[in-house]
């Protein structure tokens, strides 16, 4: 793809919005504080494309109408965020395997040719975004090993599916509300994904320490540590994190959470949540564009754009978890 970065094309100005402008965006409710427009537009601008990524506030009662309306208006695709990730499935022509297994769609690809009936295909780039960021952080899940996943919400489902698909030998899901972890495990067992490698547990400090002993990877998928309660952590105070663990925190605001600080102070390797956020965005954009996208390059640029957007916001409490 010709672009500013390889010197083949001068940078375009954002002023050019015309009949050729291609649209993508993010549907959520609310969506005003999503970081996705900043990170997608940063890449589109650097590529010199006449594309825009727009926030689309869509009330839960209108998801299907909004999706069909966007397709009719010629949108090339949309991201879908809280609270629509499940509801949107009913309006799609096709749901990719990983999105169906996870139970959430975060990306919809729309047929580019507005003259034909537009086909709406939903997928979930959080799964590949997580695995890719894990590998970029130096952890190879295909090597097997044991993972402890704390939390059993939407993000946990993508993480657990990713770890099992990538080849981890064993995954323990621990949650404050144990029944939610049990439901996650039962769902994946029914789908044939777990194959005896997945177990559920209540989240208590004692059980966490026990599960982490000898494990290879610890992933926090809870909201603990997220702004404004930045002193919260899943890890008990005053206890060293096993130095052999890789500790991954999905929370990206702040970038270094208390958990990651505890891990770093104990000599454990850490991975922050911004890599996953950026990579799922780059993977979505790659699906929408006509030409191949250098996903590594786009991920790095999106990460940088998110970092700027986060630090630019005077009041960090304005940044929602929605992407
Ligand atoms: P969710 O579906 O609402 O799940 C929240 C999880 O946090 C549940 O397991 C919940 O446990 C747990 N939790 C909340 N408060 C807790 C507490 N005080 N003590 C123990 N556990 C607690 O949310 P989600 O969509 O999975 O998102 C979770 C986090 O991941 C958010 O911080 C979000 O920003 C982050 N995330 C990051 C990315 C990324 O790209 N980096 C992507 C997706 C999500 P209960 O079931 O007991 O309530």
């Amino acid at each position: 793809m010709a672009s500013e970065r390889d010197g083949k094309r001068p940078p375009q100005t954002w002023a050019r919005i015309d009949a050729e402008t291609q649209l993508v965006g993010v549907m959520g409710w609310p969506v005003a504080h999503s970081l996705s427009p900043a990170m997608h537009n940063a890449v589109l601008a650097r590529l010199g494309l006449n594309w825009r990524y727009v926030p689309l506030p869509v009330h839960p009662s209108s998801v299907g109408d909004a999706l069909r309306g966007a397709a009719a208006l010629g949108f090339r695709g949309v991201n879908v965020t809280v609270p629509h990730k499940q509801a949107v499935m009913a309006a799609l022509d096709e749901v990719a395997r990983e999105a169906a297994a996870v139970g959430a769609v975060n990306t919809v690809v729309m047929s580019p040719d507005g003259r034909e009936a537009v086909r709406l295909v939903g997928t979930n780039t959080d799964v590949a975004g997580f695995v890719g960021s894990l590998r970029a952080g130096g952890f190879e899940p295909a090597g097997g090993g044991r993972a402890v996943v704390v939390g059993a919400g939407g993000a946990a489902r993508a993480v657990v599916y990713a770890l099992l698909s990538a080849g981890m030998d064993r995954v323990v899901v621990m949650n404050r509300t144990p029944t939610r972890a049990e439901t996650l495990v039962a769902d994946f067992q029914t789908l044939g994904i777990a194959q005896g490698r997945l177990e559920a547990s209540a989240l208590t400090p004692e059980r966490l320490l026990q599960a982490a002993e000898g494990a290879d990877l610890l992933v926090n998928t809870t909201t603990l540590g997220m702004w404004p309660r930045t002193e919260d952590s899943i890890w008990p105070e005053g206890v060293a994190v096993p130095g052999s663990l890789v500790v991954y925190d999905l929370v990206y605001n702040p970038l270094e959470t208390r958990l990651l600080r505890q891990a770093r102070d104990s000599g454990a390797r850490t991975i922050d949540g911004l890599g996953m956020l950026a990579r799922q965005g780059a993977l979505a954009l790659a699906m929408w564009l006509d030409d191949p996208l250098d996903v590594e390059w786009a991920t790095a640029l999106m990460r940088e754009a998110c970092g700027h957007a986060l630090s630019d916001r005077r009041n960090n409490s304005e940044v929602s978890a929605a992407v």
Side-chain angles (χ1 to χ4, degrees):
M1 174 180 287
S3 67
E4 177 200 358
R5 84 192 125 106
D6 55 26
K8 289 181 190 153
R9 194 193 291 202
Q12 306 288 309
T13 69
W14 277 125
R16 198 183 85 191
I17 292 182
D18 54 28
E20 302 300 318
T21 304
Q22 300 295 309
L23 292 172
V24 282
V26 55
M27 288 186 180
W29 187 265
V31 79
H33 302 128
S34 169
L35 294 170
S36 292
M39 67 183 198
H40 280 269
N41 285 322
V43 173
L44 293 170
R46 285 282 281 277
L47 289 170
L49 294 174
N50 186 9
W51 284 53
R52 294 298 188 283
Y53 185 106
V54 291
L56 300 164
V58 172
H59 188 270
S61 63
S62 310
V63 179
D65 287 346
L67 207 60
R68 281 183 290 275
L73 287 167
F75 272 65
R76 306 295 290 265
V78 289
N79 282 132
V80 181
T81 188
V82 180
H84 304 320
K85 286 186 177 188
Q86 288 177 310
V88 81
M89 288 195 199
L92 299 173
D93 298 306
E94 187 184 330
V95 177
R97 186 176 185 274
E98 69 277 7
V102 167
V105 162
N106 80 335
T107 302
V108 178
V109 180
M110 297 170 176
S111 153
D113 187 349
R115 289 166 297 182
E116 295 172 5
V118 177
R119 192 166 171 74
L120 303 177
V121 180
T123 186
N124 188 311
T125 62
D126 280 339
V127 174
F130 173 71
V131 173
S133 63
L134 202 54
R135 291 194 169 120
F139 186 91
E140 178 48 70
R146 194 153 62 82
V148 178
V149 176
V150 181
R157 295 182 86 89
V159 166
V160 170
Y161 179 84
L163 291 173
L164 292 173
S165 307
M168 293 296 290
D169 292 328
R170 187 134 204 94
V171 179
V172 183
V173 184
M174 317 192 80
N175 199 44
R176 176 180 63 176
T177 310
T179 48
R180 211 168 168 198
E182 286 156 16
T183 303
L184 187 160
V185 171
D187 287 351
F188 281 7
Q189 265 159 1
T190 306
L191 289 166
I193 298 159
Q195 295 162 336
R197 295 177 293 157
L198 188 57
E199 69 180 272
S201 167
L203 175 65
T204 66
E206 299 73 28
R207 287 194 183 204
L208 177 60
L209 297 184
Q210 202 178 13
E213 196 59 49
D216 303 285
L217 177 68
L218 172 66
V219 188
N220 175 44
T221 73
T222 75
T223 50
L224 281 180
M226 198 166 97
W227 181 271
R229 300 193 50 172
T230 54
E231 286 311 301
D232 289 351
S233 169
I234 56 167
W235 195 261
E237 185 59 36
V239 182
V241 176
S244 56
L245 261 186
V246 172
V247 179
Y248 191 131
D249 201 335
L250 258 65
V251 172
Y252 51 81
N253 184 28
L255 203 50
E256 186 175 69
T257 58
R258 184 179 183 88
L259 171 65
L260 293 189
R261 237 174 16 254
Q262 289 170 301
R264 184 167 52 79
D265 290 348
S266 305
R269 258 167 50 216
T270 61
I271 305 176
D272 67 57
L274 211 47
M276 174 179 173
L277 179 70
R279 194 168 290 266
Q280 62 77 30
L283 290 166
L285 189 58
M287 289 180 186
W288 299 325
L289 293 177
D290 298 322
D291 295 322
L293 177 72
D294 179 342
V295 169
E296 295 305 322
W297 170 81
T299 298
L301 191 53
M302 285 191 177
R303 187 184 163 94
E304 190 186 314
C306 282
H308 288 316
L310 282 168
S311 61
D312 280 355
R313 296 190 184 184
R314 209 165 286 168
N315 180 0
N316 276 350
S317 63
E318 287 180 6
V319 181
S320 77
V323 297

